[in-house]
Amino acid sequence: MPSHAERCSRPIKLTRSSIDTLTGVVSNDGSFLKACGSRLANRCPSCSEVYRRDLMKLIGEGLQREVDGGTILSFVTFTAPGAEVFGPTHTRPTRGRKDGTTYTYPCPCGARHKNGDEVLGTPIDPATYDYAAAADWNAKCSRLLAVTMQRLSRLTYGNTRTSTGRPRQLQWVRVAEFQRRGLVHFHVIVRGHIKEEHLHTAVRGMGTPGETGHIKPTTSHGIGWGHQCDVRRVVRGSKHGVGYYLLKVVGYATKNAGSDSPGLNQHEWTMAKAGAESCACKHPLTCSDGPDEMVVTIDDHGNETTLTVSNLSKRRDDRCVRHRLARRGWGFRGHIFAASGQWGVTLREIRERRTQHHHARSQPTLRAFLQANLSDPSLPVPPILVEWAVERASPARR
């Protein structure tokens, strides 16, 4: 049976060196393949399946204890603003009839789009669509979600505190999903009963401005949520129970989330470009997405002239980490999947379990020993330490 690395579509080739700590002799143990670890199903189905199972384990361990204990769970969706902020897009508005059939309304462009039409979600007029605002919203929405969950915690628990004296906070896991128009919205599984009026208050505010008791809508860095945010209660044993929402969240986590690869349409390319322009890096003169150098010259008459000079050290594909993430995520640079502090296990713990299971008899690495030795200098030195190095990335198999 092929190993995980052999099933990977884009394996990484590593070389291993063994260090004899008694003699100091370093020997080359040869080359080995390591799986790429991508979470995206369209890039590597094998690694994406491993990531999916890890998320199922992480969310499941956090949910099972709470569900068995009778805790109510909620599924909350937060969406981005609509056409009033960024510009109109092609849509397929529908409405169900009494006989069970569906009636499709015309799109704002005047056409009745079919289900699966490639233009759905794309701007009706790309020239007037605010791509810069869309990329900026993606870049700031993670912080907006954190602020919103803090407000929901206060509305749900009030001044209730834990046994340690800290304010009681909601525990949740969330996943970011990219809409076809290029904007992010979030799906959140929450421990506890989130009331619809509390969500309405957090998203849209309450009362009239200027009156006593008025609560402003939740905003962060000048951005807020759209009008289609909703909350559903997760009921055990029903059609839309725990398992339904668990699979839904995990499915979003392995879905393609933006990209700047070849073969994209013009809308996706423009979103990738706007995403790169929405962030700055610490290496503007060497990063290919950084600004060009501005040079001020003075002519013979004493007039200043500003010239834009492209740095010759820049390479077309040489981008910093921030710009790579911003391009692929169309401005969004956060984690696709995240969990609050007290949810339960973490992805790191789950991966460490799997590593210990597969490599229970393998020698410790030099890096791991040095880190452990910093906290406990009395640790005995193993007779053999290994060190890994990347040799090259092998081409993707087709």
Side-chain angles (χ1 to χ4, degrees):
M1 184 176 179
S3 64
H4 178 206
E6 292 173 339
R7 293 193 302 267
C8 177
S9 302
R10 306 180 306 163
I12 301 171
K13 200 169 186 178
L14 302 175
T15 57
R16 186 177 70 180
S17 302
S18 295
I19 306 171
D20 191 330
T21 57
L22 298 178
T23 61
V25 176
V26 179
S27 58
N28 189 354
D29 297 337
S31 300
F32 301 86
L33 292 179
K34 180 183 181 299
C36 67
S38 176
R39 63 170 181 81
L40 300 179
N42 65 339
R43 292 188 180 181
C44 182
S46 175
C47 293
S48 177
E49 177 63 17
V50 173
Y51 182 80
R52 186 187 72 84
R53 292 180 180 180
D54 287 347
L55 290 191
M56 292 283 286
K57 186 68 174 176
L58 184 151
I59 303 175
E61 286 194 16
L63 286 178
Q64 192 62 44
R65 180 178 63 254
E66 300 300 326
V67 173
D68 292 344
T71 301
I72 299 175
L73 302 173
S74 304
F75 185 80
V76 191
T77 300
F78 295 97
T79 60
E84 71 280 0
V85 175
F86 307 108
T89 58
H90 292 281
T91 58
R92 187 176 179 269
T94 59
R95 183 178 181 181
R97 296 190 179 101
K98 293 182 179 179
D99 58 0
T101 59
T102 302
Y103 176 76
T104 302
Y105 290 90
C107 171
C109 70
R112 282 183 170 88
H113 298 294
K114 295 182 179 179
N115 193 15
D117 195 335
E118 293 184 356
V119 301
L120 288 175
T122 60
I124 295 178
D125 184 7
T128 59
Y129 190 77
D130 199 341
Y131 284 98
D136 184 66
W137 197 94
N138 287 341
K140 298 174 180 177
C141 61
S142 292
R143 179 57 186 167
L144 174 62
L145 178 65
V147 173
T148 305
M149 296 308 298
Q150 291 175 0
R151 174 171 285 191
L152 277 176
S153 296
R154 292 194 295 268
L155 291 172
T156 302
Y157 296 125
N159 296 324
T160 306
R161 295 181 177 270
T162 62
S163 57
T164 59
R166 296 182 178 181
R168 190 174 180 184
Q169 299 288 325
L170 291 171
Q171 301 302 321
W172 47 268
V173 292
R174 64 89 172 151
V175 64
E177 183 198 5
F178 279 72
Q179 298 172 310
R180 294 195 63 180
R181 58 179 175 148
L183 292 164
V184 172
H185 61 189
F186 294 98
H187 302 280
V188 190
I189 297 180
V190 185
R191 290 177 184 165
H193 179 38
I194 303 298
K195 296 181 179 179
E196 190 172 350
E197 56 266 29
H198 289 166
L199 179 65
H200 187 281
T201 300
V203 172
R204 301 180 182 87
M206 183 180 66
T208 305
E211 292 185 353
T212 304
H214 169 63
I215 299 177
K216 295 181 179 179
T218 304
T219 58
S220 177
H221 296 87
I223 66 171
W225 299 111
H227 299 293
Q228 295 182 348
C229 301
D230 64 63
V231 57
R232 301 176 186 177
R233 181 177 173 183
V234 181
V235 181
R236 280 190 302 170
S238 67
K239 178 181 177 181
H240 294 169
V242 177
Y244 171 82
Y245 290 107
L246 174 60
L247 293 175
K248 193 172 184 178
V249 168
V250 173
Y252 287 136
T254 56
K255 180 181 176 182
N256 187 29
S259 182
D260 62 343
S261 350
L264 303 182
N265 59 40
Q266 185 60 41
H267 171 63
E268 293 169 331
W269 264 112
T270 310
M271 280 301 306
K273 181 180 178 182
E277 294 174 350
S278 68
C279 75
C281 63
K282 298 180 180 178
H283 312 284
L285 298 182
T286 57
C287 176
S288 62
D289 279 325
D292 292 325
E293 188 175 3
M294 307 298 291
V295 179
V296 178
T297 60
I298 301 177
D299 58 18
D300 297 337
H301 304 286
N303 298 322
E304 292 187 355
T305 304
T306 303
L307 302 177
T308 302
V309 181
S310 180
N311 197 307
L312 297 179
S313 64
K314 290 185 179 182
R315 293 182 297 178
R316 182 176 180 180
D317 296 327
D318 188 10
R319 301 187 180 110
C320 66
V321 174
R322 284 176 60 84
H323 276 109
R324 284 200 300 270
L325 293 175
R327 272 187 170 272
R328 294 172 184 173
W330 299 340
F332 181 76
R333 301 187 290 276
H335 294 285
I336 294 297
F337 176 86
S340 58
Q342 301 300 322
W343 177 261
V345 296
T346 63
L347 279 176
R348 175 177 293 182
E349 293 173 351
I350 292 175
R351 288 165 179 167
E352 286 178 352
R353 293 179 195 172
R354 185 170 60 251
T355 301
Q356 292 173 3
H357 175 73
H358 289 305
H359 305 286
R361 298 181 179 179
S362 62
Q363 294 88 356
T365 63
L366 175 62
R367 181 179 179 182
F369 171 73
L370 293 177
Q371 290 179 344
N373 191 56
L374 288 176
S375 57
D376 187 4
S378 63
L379 287 175
V381 180
I384 299 293
L385 291 172
V386 298
E387 191 170 13
W388 295 91
V390 178
E391 181 177 329
R392 64 181 177 84
S394 60
R397 297 193 186 97
R398 296 188 180 275

